[in-house]
Amino acid sequence: MRIVMGLAVLAALTTATAAKADPCKAIPDRGPMPSYLHRGAHFSGPVVYVGDGDSLCVAVGQGPANWVEIRLEDFYAPELHSPTGPAAKAALEKIAMGRNAECVANRQSYDRVVATCRIGGRSIGDLLKAAGSIEGGNGYGQGKQ
């Protein structure tokens, strides 16, 4: 009986739990970015998702297959799991969610594009700073991944 219980506990501890799926799928999890997101490419659309304080998705077409995940090039938010992470995400949602973002792609980082995005002619990074959002996430002062 103890062996069975021990095996059940071990199985529960070693079974991976499913992470929340990334809804932005224009850039594959593995592989190159679509050619329309090359360095210097301009693209725009409504902000349809905010992942944390410096990541968002811009819809360049219908459905999640056309949602481009962006890591803001000009703002380094605290990590979501840090004490100030949820407030950073809320600030980005307040500034960007549902609004049209005009972006310029820089480079690929994992399954997202590092880009500078503007809303109403101002960079989202500048809008976050003007709203009092504090920087300090991974890569702050070193460049992002």
Side-chain angles (χ1 to χ4, degrees), residues 56-96:
L56 52 87
C57 296
V58 171
V60 297
Q62 293 293 322
N66 293 299
W67 294 359
V68 177
E69 184 173 2
I70 296 159
R71 178 81 173 197
L72 295 176
E73 187 168 29
D74 60 348
F75 193 82
Y76 299 85
E79 297 304 309
L80 190 56
H81 63 271
S82 75
T84 55
K89 178 180 177 177
L92 182 55
E93 286 175 331
K94 183 176 180 182
I95 287 169

Side-chain angles (χ1 to χ4, degrees), residues 27 33 37 43 68-71 105-107 112-115:
I27 302 170
M33 278 197 302
L37 293 174
F43 59 96
V68 177
E69 184 173 2
I70 296 159
R71 178 81 173 197
N106 183 355
R107 62 185 170 80
R112 60 191 174 224
V113 63
V114 177

Side-chain angles (χ1 to χ4, degrees), residues 52-56 70-79 84-85 87-89 91-92 95 114-117 123-141 143-145:
D52 60 23
D54 54 18
S55 297
L56 52 87
I70 296 159
R71 178 81 173 197
L72 295 176
E73 187 168 29
D74 60 348
F75 193 82
Y76 299 85
E79 297 304 309
T84 55
K89 178 180 177 177
L92 182 55
I95 287 169
V114 177
T116 300
C117 297
S123 82
I124 294 175
D126 287 347
L127 291 168
L128 287 164
K129 292 170 193 165
S133 293
I134 298 171
E135 292 185 276
N138 289 348
Y140 181 66
K144 287 190 180 174
Q145 290 299 316

Side-chain angles (χ1 to χ4, degrees), residues 5-25:
M5 291 285 280
L7 290 174
V9 169
L10 181 61
L13 292 174
T14 59
T15 302
T17 57
K20 184 177 177 187
D22 177 6
C24 313
K25 295 298 179 192

